[in-house]
Amino acid sequence: MSDFAGRLLVWFDANGRHDLPWQHPRTPYRVWLSEVMLQQTQVRVVVPYFERFVAALPDVRALADSSVDEVFALWSGLGYYARARNLHAAAKLCVERHGGELPRGFDALVALPGIGRSTAGAILAQAWGERFAILDGNVKRVLCRVHGIDGWPGTPAVEKRLWDIAQAQLPDARLADYTQAQMDFGATLCTRADPACVLCPLQGECVALREDRVRELPTPKPAKPLPERHALVFVLRDARDRVLLQRRPQAGVWAGLWSLPEAGDHAAARDWFEANIAGDYDAARALAPIDHGFTHYRFAMQPLEWREVALRDGVRDNDSLRWIARAELASLGIPAPVRKLLEGRT
């Protein structure tokens, strides 16, 4: 066993997280689900979503048999919805190709939607104790500091070097614990800001600490200003106080979720309204603006509300445009800022 792995496992035994819900029991399905949920999301946020999800869909077959709307509803608020869509698609492929179970081979795992090299390694190591490395954001940060690796870890050359180090440091046993130890260590001790270097079991070999470069490493991604996108969103309510929702396209942001109709400007908004709604466009009431941040841009939404309107003759509820009662909102996948807006009004 490498000294790195040995020290980390000793630390994990005393300080790691041993009571996470996906650890008891640690089945391939539960490990897979947790790994997907933990992409870009902290453990404390994931835990209640994970528990709700497995209560409703306890295994691969149940997930494959569910509707995409059910999956989105369970995921709603967790963000990065492509993860949920890929999870659902992968479950269906597991039923078609692998007898309703996650495949145990690395190549078969990475062939499934939403499973890359690190996620596949985490599943194989934690579910089956196999000797595979991981390289999530926490692990990249630790390795860059301990080994003094310069350069943004998102570049191919730096990432390849980190993969080589991660593979070389794998222990021969306790792969599940070691995998969890790496994630816990980066999340709770070797954190992005204010790492607890004085408590670190690796301080004697940490290049960043020795050279006073802890705050410099890992090298941050080159910054550039986030662009902004603006839209008007329609909060349309009929005489029964139902709200009109529209399914978003299957590609792009919030793909496949139910959201509010939107338009880029007032001219386009008026055109859409007059083509679909029996009512007075100029009777709209402006609600408080919403500013929502995505990874690559900010989305500024101006909600406009109309009460007691109806669909124009010839326009009917369909698979992409529906009146939704208050009680139905919880059963649909709705983007978090839109859900917050609607629940704040109901």
Side-chain angles (χ1 to χ4, degrees):
M1 179 186 297
S2 72
D3 191 49
F4 179 95
R7 289 176 184 271
L8 211 55
L9 283 166
V10 170
W11 174 87
F12 173 73
D13 289 340
N15 303 285
R17 294 181 282 206
H18 303 275
D19 57 353
L20 297 171
W22 44 89
Q23 296 172 326
H24 310 287
R26 189 184 268 151
T27 67
Y29 174 73
R30 292 165 70 89
V31 169
W32 171 41
L33 176 60
S34 70
E35 286 300 317
V36 173
M37 287 186 165
L38 287 165
Q39 294 167 4
Q40 308 290 331
T41 311
Q42 295 179 337
V43 166
R44 62 177 178 80
V45 176
V46 164
V47 167
Y49 281 92
F50 177 88
E51 292 175 330
R52 184 176 65 166
F53 200 101
V54 294
L57 305 173
D59 54 36
V60 174
R61 285 192 179 275
L63 174 56
D65 290 341
S66 65
S67 70
V68 70
D69 279 335
E70 183 179 1
V71 173
F72 279 150
L74 291 167
W75 201 274
S76 187
L78 199 54
Y80 299 95
Y81 289 91
R83 296 180 297 172
R85 189 166 54 253
N86 286 334
L87 198 74
H88 188 240
K92 289 185 174 296
L93 288 175
C94 285
V95 171
E96 293 174 14
R97 301 175 181 175
H98 306 293
E101 301 290 345
L102 270 181
R104 189 163 176 171
F106 178 84
D107 290 341
L109 278 174
V110 296
L112 296 173
I115 298 183
R117 180 178 177 181
S118 187
T119 300
I123 294 168
L124 290 163
Q126 293 185 93
W128 290 294
E130 297 196 11
R131 200 167 180 271
F132 282 86
I134 65 168
L135 197 64
D136 67 2
N138 285 320
V139 177
K140 288 179 179 180
R141 181 167 59 255
V142 172
L143 296 184
C144 283
R145 285 174 174 167
V146 171
H147 296 278
I149 307 297
D150 287 298
W152 177 49
T155 61
V158 176
E159 187 170 47
K160 181 183 183 304
R161 187 176 177 190
L162 293 174
W163 271 116
D164 290 343
I165 294 171
Q167 189 68 37
Q169 292 178 161
L170 286 174
D172 294 321
R174 297 188 64 190
L175 272 303
D177 286 345
Y178 177 67
T179 300
Q180 187 66 52
Q182 293 176 91
M183 294 186 285
D184 289 357
F185 186 74
T188 65
L189 194 148
C190 193
T191 53
R192 181 177 287 107
D194 299 320
C197 296
V198 69
L199 302 176
C200 179
L202 304 172
Q203 59 182 276
E205 57 195 276
C206 181
V207 173
L209 182 62
R210 184 169 65 245
E211 298 180 356
D212 194 25
R213 301 180 63 209
V214 172
R215 297 188 183 279
E216 296 175 23
L217 297 175
T219 304
K221 181 179 181 179
K224 59 180 181 180
L226 287 177
E228 269 202 9
R229 180 188 158 206
H230 298 263
L232 301 168
V233 295
F234 302 76
V235 184
L236 297 152
R237 298 185 184 278
D238 68 2
R240 295 161 57 185
D241 202 31
R242 297 179 301 176
V243 66
L244 189 68
L245 295 186
Q246 186 171 43
R247 191 187 289 278
R248 294 191 60 90
Q250 293 303 315
V253 66
W254 294 332
L257 298 185
W258 288 93
S259 187
L260 297 169
E262 68 177 63
D265 55 37
H266 277 286
R270 184 182 293 275
D271 288 346
W272 187 92
F273 184 95
E274 293 179 350
N276 293 277
I277 305 299
D280 179 6
Y281 178 81
D282 294 317
R285 183 168 73 98
L287 304 180
I290 299 170
D291 187 32
H292 184 69
F294 292 100
T295 305
H296 302 297
Y297 68 93
R298 300 202 65 81
F299 188 20
M301 292 175 280
Q302 174 58 65
L304 302 175
E305 183 185 54
W306 292 264
R307 294 267 179 179
E308 298 192 14
V309 295
L311 291 176
R312 189 172 292 281
D313 289 345
V315 180
R316 302 183 183 279
D317 278 15
N318 53 58
D319 288 341
S320 62
L321 192 68
R322 287 171 48 190
W323 290 110
I324 303 295
R326 300 183 185 193
E328 294 180 274
L329 292 175
S331 68
L332 296 177
I334 298 173
V338 175
R339 185 180 294 280
K340 183 177 179 181
L341 169 65
L342 295 177
E343 290 179 349
R345 301 294 304 167
T346 55

